[in-house]
Each structure stands twice: as C-alpha cells, then as structure tokens.
Amino acid sequence: MSLGTSPLVKIVFAFFVLVVVGISFYLGRKANSAKGFYAAHGQIPWFVNGVAFAGDYLSAASFLGICGLIAFYGYDGFLYSIGFLAGWIVALFVIAEPLKRLGRFTFADALDSRFHSRGIKLAAAISTLVVSIFYLIPQMVGAGSLIKPLFGWDYSTGVMIVGAVVTVIVVTAGMVSTTWVQFIKGSLLVALCAILTVAILARGLTTDPYQLPDGSKHRFVIKPASEVTTGAEVIAPEGAWKDKPYVRIRAASGQIQIWRKDGDALSETQSIVTADKQKPVVNGETGFLWSVGNLAALPEGKTETGPLGPIEYLSTIQKSTVTTWANETIVDADTHCQTKIFYQQQIPGSEVMMPGLYFKGIHGQLPAIDPNNLQASTAKRSKALLSRIDFVSLMIALFCGTAALPHILIRYYTVKDQVSARKSTVVGIAVIGFFYILTLFLGLGAMTSGMLRLDDTNMSAPMLARSFGELPFACISAIAFTTVLGTVSGLIMAASGAIVHDLITNVLRVEMDDHLKVRAGKVVALLVGIISIVLGILFQKMNTSFLVGWAFNIAASANLPALIMLLFWRGTTKQGITWAIVIGLLSSLGWVLGSKEAYQNVYQYSAADAATYALVPFSQPAIITVPLGFLVLVVVSLLTRHSGTAEALQRKRVAVAGTA
C-alpha cells in the first residue's frame, strides 16, 4: 500500500535530494587533488567536522533502526543508543589526537606509520573494505524501506536510486561534498527530531489509536471464544496447526480468519499466507496489514492525558498497559504453505521500560534447574544464559567498534591539527548524545501512535511523523533519506581510499599522480556503489540496527586491537598487527555468517532449521573475537620482537643505508 500519495511528499523529497546533489557539484572543483578528494585538504572547521561526525554516525540504523526497535520492543531498543554513544568515549580519550598525528588519508596510514609494511597495508585495506560493505548493507536496506511506501515503487528500485545518488555525490567532490552533506544532514536530522519530540509531548497519550489520513483505522478486539465460534465453520487443527494456540474460521467468502487463544477468549490476529509460486494473501480480503500500536489502558482509567513533560511522559507509559505485537510462522509440511501470524499482547508498561522484550532472558534471575524435568529446565537455563552472553557481546562490540570504523576514523584527517580533532569529537558526542535521547521519545511515540507497520520496523519514525500530517511525514522521510546518503557517501569514501591509496598505490606500488589517484577513486566509488546496491537487495528483510551490530563486531575485532596496541605498547610488531587484523577479521566474519540469524535471514532457512544448522551458539562474536585479536597481537609480537618492532626495523634500515 503506497503512502506517498500526497504531491507535497514528493516535492519535499525531491527538494532535499536536489539540494544535496547541487552541493556536490558546486564543491566538485575543490577536489582536484588526492588530498582534496580523500581528506578535504585537511581544512574543515572543527565545529563543522564535529557535526559531520554526527551526520556520518547517525545512520539509517541510528534513526530508522533504533526507533523501530524501541517502537516494537521498548527499552531494549534504547540499549543500542546507549552502546552507540558509549563507543565515543574510546574515540575521544584514546584515538582522536594520536590518529590525527599518525595518518594521512586512511586507517591503514595510521597503522603503518612506523613500519612501512605492505602486509599491514594489505590487511588493513581488506578490513576496511569488509567493514564498510557490512555497514553499507543496512543503509541500503533503510533506503529501500523509505522509497517503497513514499512512492509505491518496489524495494529494489529504492535501493538502486540511493546507490545512484550517492555515487554522484562521491564521484563529483569526494570528501569535500561528503563532509558538507553530512553537516547539513546532521543538523537537520537533530532539529527535526527535536521538533517531532516536542509534538509528541504536546499531544500526550491516548488509548484511541490515531487514524490514517484517509480516515481508515481498525480496532483489534478480544472476544469470548463462544461469540467467535458459534455458527462459524471452524477448521480442525491438523498437521502443523495441531497443538498451536490458534482457531481458524472459514468465512462465507472462503477466506480464512485466524484467532489466537487467550484463556477463555480469542484475540484477533493479522496474517500473511504464502504458497509456492503464488502471490501472498495478506489478511484475507483486506489485502494489507493494518497499522497498529496503542495503549490498552492508562493509569486511573483515563482515555487520554493531554500534554505531558518528558519525565511525566515516561512515567505514564510505565504505569500503563501497552499493546505490543509478536509473530509466529507456521509451515505446512505437506503443502509447503507458510502462514506468518501477527498477534497482540497486552503487557505492563513497566516491562516495556525494562530490558527483556528483545534481548530475551537478560532481566531477572536465570531459570532454576528442575530435578523433575532436568532436560527441559537445563535447556531453558542454557538459552537464557546464551542470551545474556549475546547481549554483553553486542555491548562490547558497540563500545569498542566506534573507534574502529574506517569511515569515522578518516574524518580525523579532514581537520588541520590534533586540537581540532579533539574539539570536533566533543562536538560530535554532544550532538549524537542529544539525538539518542530523542530516539527514546520517538520510539515510544511510535509504539503508541497507531501507525506501526508490522511488515517493516524501519518505517516506525516516518509513520509516527505521518500521524501529525503530510508535511512532517514528508520532512522526516526526506531527512531519513539524506541520512542514508550522508552515511553511505562516507563509507564509499573509506572503501575508495582503501583500494586506491592502500592497495593500488602502497601494496601494488603502482605509480600514480594526483590526477590519476582522483580518477581511480571515482571509478572505485562507482564499483562499490554497485556492490552496495546488490547487497542491499539481498538483505531486505533484516532490521538495520541488527545489521550494523554485525559491522561493529567485525570492526572491533579486526581493527581495534591493532590500533590500541600500536598507540600504547612499544613492543608491537608489524607481524603482530598484520595477524591481529587477519585473525580478528576472519573469526568475526566467520562467526556472524555461521550464526542462526544468518541462516534464517540471509540463507532463508526456517527458524527451526536455522537453530539446528547454526555453527555458533549466539550471533554477536565480540566477546570472543575482540580478546582473540589482542591475544594474537601480543603472542605474535613477542615471537617477532627482535625483528618486527618499529625500532628494530629502523635499525635495519639504517644498517642497509650504511652498507650502501
């Protein structure tokens, strides 16, 4: 169902995109040299660079993904915000100034500044490419999610449009245009989200879902079972439906209605039925999923609150009862017909404001072992324990990964000195921190707006804006799109620098003048843009924040140990850095690709088969692979300490020069 029927939406959207492209062409003349193309001549003002940090970092995952997770799972989604922000502490106090001192254009420049090693350059370049591509995927997924409801185009078209526009941005002016696009995008994103938060608080809370602009809405009911089944044709539960908490009723039209058992009552559900080579049947006769999201009850029996302050808003939700939605997929083994059922759950607001809805088993005590049912209770306890390990591993990845993201690190090369690098980091933290506070209100506002789309968590924030009218919807959607453009352009710049500057120039030692380096960078940007389009289409069904979590895991495992030890341990050797990157990269990449989530969402296994064939017990590898990277670096450096340290290599170079 297309939601972008208003001409205003298309006009505002087109205006934002044209302004962004226009800026790129205008600034194109400033990127004729390699330093201009890859590092904006090192002359970006520190305040502009700080806001650009925020514009680069506040990606589709931060805006679309986190708001969606909070809207569907409450406080658990906000934990992503906390993790993303906490990582900047490492960047500020550990990385900022030393990195500016060490590097020129790329992350590999910093790692290799003391060693002049082709092995380090090669390993760091490959790591940059892998991390950039993994970070590119959720941005493209977010773009496709936006375009589809705005214009009624299919998801693939949206992804291709983003790839084309971003490629134009990078090819025309490199880091110069990328920086200013990110500055403008970051400023507008925070400003508009602040305005939207004020509107949420001014509207307050209600138990009556807001209706769509065309006047349509649907109240989902819970009825006594006898009222639903009396006089109806009830389908006997057979096969996969046996022992499931559902009642299926065949309507006079032949369509099947599905109700979920809730004690002595039945609650209304929504469904998508997919049979082999047939068009999915959505909600029987309606043909689409109804928007959802509301409070089942407010404190003291109220139906609405009126305007609320920020603290009052949060405390009111905590004391309310919230209707959330979960889903279950049932597959008929004989017909291969797959039914995905969305069902409502009424839970206390206090549970929404505590961890545990998304990260299962992380709140409260671990399940006890029951001697009378040892196998089942042990399995339940093990599952809860693995969930906690997975959560801790994700937090480690978010905390350690920020300071290891190549597209963030190269931004330190766009300012003139180390003091400016530190100042721009402080500005970035302030802007990012303020924005992440806003995401809590945006997510909870979407949760209670009646505008949630069950088939796309990434559209929660734009649909929330639509509950206030077409203009807010148009502006938020356009800003979300430019959010994707800014982040993707930074990622493509990082990948382009890794290939041209690190691989071609330093590893393969191909002689190129400034003009040729810029031309090669533009060609590589085009190729990376095409790759990102393909991967964005393949990963359509996954939440953007979850995908970014994988990118943070890989960056933290492959890049951070080498960077930290280079800065703070004089015993670090070139072999230690090289092998730490290689082992960290391969172990983290292999882990995420062998996880249950990859089997289910990437390889398209069923949930049961994915759990059976998964090669690892949980999806987030940082708790294993980050320490492994440090361990490998220390062990290899100790084994090669007589020949691989910076001092040993310098003595060797002096000896060779003296002999010559």
Side-chain angles (χ1 to χ4, degrees):
M1 182 171 62
S2 174
L3 300 173
T5 56
S6 169
L8 178 64
V9 174
K10 297 180 175 66
I11 292 171
V12 172
F13 192 88
F15 173 76
F16 273 85
V17 174
L18 289 175
V19 167
V20 168
V21 175
I23 290 172
S24 299
F25 278 105
Y26 173 74
L27 296 172
R29 54 190 170 82
K30 297 184 179 181
N32 294 323
S33 67
K35 188 172 183 180
F37 186 80
Y38 293 109
H41 301 286
Q43 295 300 315
I44 298 295
W46 60 266
F47 181 80
V48 172
N49 197 56
V51 179
F53 262 132
D56 202 353
Y57 195 67
L58 299 179
S59 61
S62 294
F63 182 39
L64 301 177
I66 289 177
C67 288
L69 285 175
I70 295 173
F72 279 85
Y73 303 103
Y75 187 78
D76 279 10
F78 189 60
L79 291 175
Y80 270 96
S81 294
I82 295 172
F84 284 144
L85 179 61
W88 281 93
I89 296 173
V90 179
L92 174 62
F93 291 108
V94 179
I95 299 299
E97 293 188 40
L99 191 72
K100 173 61 181 175
R101 183 177 67 249
L102 291 175
R104 286 181 62 217
F105 297 153
T106 66
F107 166 65
D109 282 336
L111 289 184
D112 195 41
S113 59
R114 299 176 185 170
F115 301 101
H116 308 290
S117 165
R118 294 169 74 183
I120 291 178
K121 286 279 191 181
L122 177 61
I126 293 173
S127 173
T128 296
L129 283 174
V130 173
V131 173
S132 296
I133 288 174
F134 262 81
Y135 210 105
L136 271 169
I137 294 169
Q139 314 312 318
M140 306 307 285
V141 171
S145 298
L146 276 170
I147 290 291
K148 185 176 180 180
L150 278 173
F151 297 107
W153 300 337
D154 61 30
Y155 172 87
S156 301
T157 302
V159 171
M160 287 188 282
I161 289 173
V162 168
V165 174
V166 170
T167 302
V168 169
I169 292 173
V170 175
V171 167
T172 51
M175 185 56 83
V176 180
S177 64
T178 296
T179 297
W180 284 100
V181 166
Q182 289 166 346
F183 171 75
I184 295 170
K185 178 262 280 191
S187 303
L188 289 175
L189 176 64
V190 174
L192 283 176
C193 287
I195 293 171
L196 187 57
T197 300
V198 171
I200 292 168
L201 297 176
R203 183 166 67 182
L205 296 165
T206 178
T207 56
D208 186 26
Y210 303 101
Q211 63 185 21
L212 291 169
D214 61 5
S216 62
K217 64 179 176 181
H218 184 80
R219 293 181 182 275
F220 290 89
V221 297
I222 299 176
K223 295 181 178 181
S226 58
E227 185 177 332
V228 176
T229 58
T230 300
E233 183 185 348
V234 179
I235 302 175
E238 298 177 344
W241 291 92
K242 193 174 182 180
D243 299 326
K244 293 290 184 179
Y246 299 103
V247 173
R248 292 179 296 162
I249 296 175
R250 194 185 308 276
S253 62
Q255 299 291 343
I256 297 176
Q257 301 171 349
I258 302 174
W259 295 74
R260 182 177 172 88
K261 297 176 183 177
D262 187 4
D264 295 329
L266 295 176
S267 64
E268 191 177 4
T269 70
Q270 303 195 69
S271 62
I272 301 175
V273 180
T274 307
D276 286 344
K277 300 180 181 180
Q278 295 183 22
K279 184 179 179 180
V281 177
V282 183
N283 270 352
E285 296 177 330
T286 64
F288 59 87
L289 293 174
W290 290 99
S291 297
V292 300
N294 67 288
L295 295 175
L298 281 164
E300 302 174 3
K302 295 179 180 179
T303 58
E304 60 181 33
T305 63
L308 297 169
I311 303 300
E312 191 180 7
Y313 186 89
L314 298 177
S315 64
T316 302
I317 290 181
Q318 189 170 20
K319 298 173 185 175
S320 301
T321 302
V322 183
T323 300
T324 63
W325 288 74
N327 66 79
E328 179 180 3
T329 300
I330 297 176
V331 180
D332 190 306
D334 296 326
T335 64
H336 301 291
C337 180
Q338 177 174 291
T339 304
K340 187 172 187 178
I341 305 167
F342 301 91
Y343 58 91
Q344 50 188 319
Q345 305 175 113
Q346 294 187 356
I347 62 175
S350 57
E351 292 186 17
V352 172
M353 302 301 288
M354 292 289 289
L357 292 182
Y358 183 74
F359 299 108
K360 305 292 186 182
I362 69 169
H363 180 60
Q365 298 291 325
L366 286 171
I369 299 293
D370 182 4
N372 298 320
N373 192 7
L374 188 61
Q375 185 174 357
S377 62
T378 302
K380 188 176 181 180
R381 184 181 178 88
S382 299
K383 184 177 180 181
L385 180 61
L386 289 175
S387 294
R388 296 189 180 194
I389 295 173
D390 197 42
F391 171 74
V392 172
S393 188
L394 173 63
M395 291 299 108
I396 291 173
L398 298 184
F399 184 77
C400 297
T402 300
L405 292 172
H407 71 291
I408 296 295
L409 296 176
I410 63 173
R411 183 147 298 290
Y412 285 116
Y413 305 144
T414 64
V415 292
K416 62 181 180 180
D417 53 34
Q418 297 171 51
V419 174
S420 297
R422 184 179 68 251
K423 288 181 177 179
S424 62
T425 306
V426 172
V427 171
I429 290 174
V431 176
I432 293 166
F434 178 64
F435 174 80
Y436 280 144
I437 292 173
L438 299 179
T439 61
L440 180 59
F441 293 95
L442 295 177
L444 294 175
M447 174 185 282
T448 58
S449 68
M451 300 290 283
L452 288 180
R453 290 169 59 92
L454 290 172
D455 57 342
D456 195 348
T457 62
N458 296 319
M459 279 300 293
S460 299
M463 291 305 296
L464 166 66
R466 196 163 197 252
S467 70
F468 292 98
E470 291 298 322
L471 181 59
F473 175 59
C475 292
I476 288 294
S477 298
I479 285 296
F481 190 76
T482 55
T483 293
V484 175
L485 296 183
T487 303
V488 171
S489 58
L491 290 164
I492 291 180
M493 281 302 308
S496 177
I499 292 176
V500 176
H501 180 69
D502 297 333
L503 289 180
I504 297 178
T505 303
N506 292 305
V507 176
L508 300 179
R509 295 180 179 174
V510 176
E511 294 290 335
M512 292 191 292
D513 58 21
D514 263 12
H515 178 71
L516 192 56
K517 283 184 180 180
V518 172
R519 179 179 294 181
K522 293 179 178 182
V523 172
V524 170
L526 177 62
L527 295 175
V528 175
I530 294 172
I531 292 172
S532 68
I533 290 172
V534 174
L535 293 175
I537 293 172
L538 291 177
F539 284 77
Q540 175 182 354
K541 298 298 183 182
M542 296 190 73
N543 179 275
T544 54
S545 285
F546 186 86
L547 287 168
V548 164
W550 277 359
F552 273 70
N553 273 280
I554 296 171
S557 304
N559 298 342
L560 190 70
L563 192 55
I564 293 293
M565 299 303 282
L566 171 70
L567 296 175
F568 298 103
W569 185 37
R570 294 187 63 183
T572 301
T573 66
K574 67 176 184 179
Q575 295 93 337
I577 289 177
T578 303
W579 280 106
I581 295 173
V582 171
I583 298 301
L585 179 64
L586 293 178
S587 61
S588 58
L589 186 61
W591 190 292
V592 299
L593 294 179
S595 67
K596 179 174 78 72
E597 284 72 14
Y599 274 90
Q600 185 173 346
N601 296 302
V602 180
Y603 313 140
Q604 299 301 309
Y605 280 63
S606 67
D609 287 344
T612 300
Y613 294 114
L615 303 177
V616 291
F618 48 90
S619 66
Q620 309 289 346
I623 196 170
I624 302 295
T625 54
V626 171
L628 178 63
F630 280 102
L631 178 63
V632 168
L633 189 146
V634 170
V635 171
V636 173
S637 292
L638 290 175
L639 292 174
T640 58
R641 62 186 180 276
H642 297 301
S643 61
T645 63
E647 290 79 4
L649 292 171
Q650 180 62 26
R651 288 195 299 270
K652 184 177 180 180
R653 284 191 290 269
V654 171
V656 171
T659 303

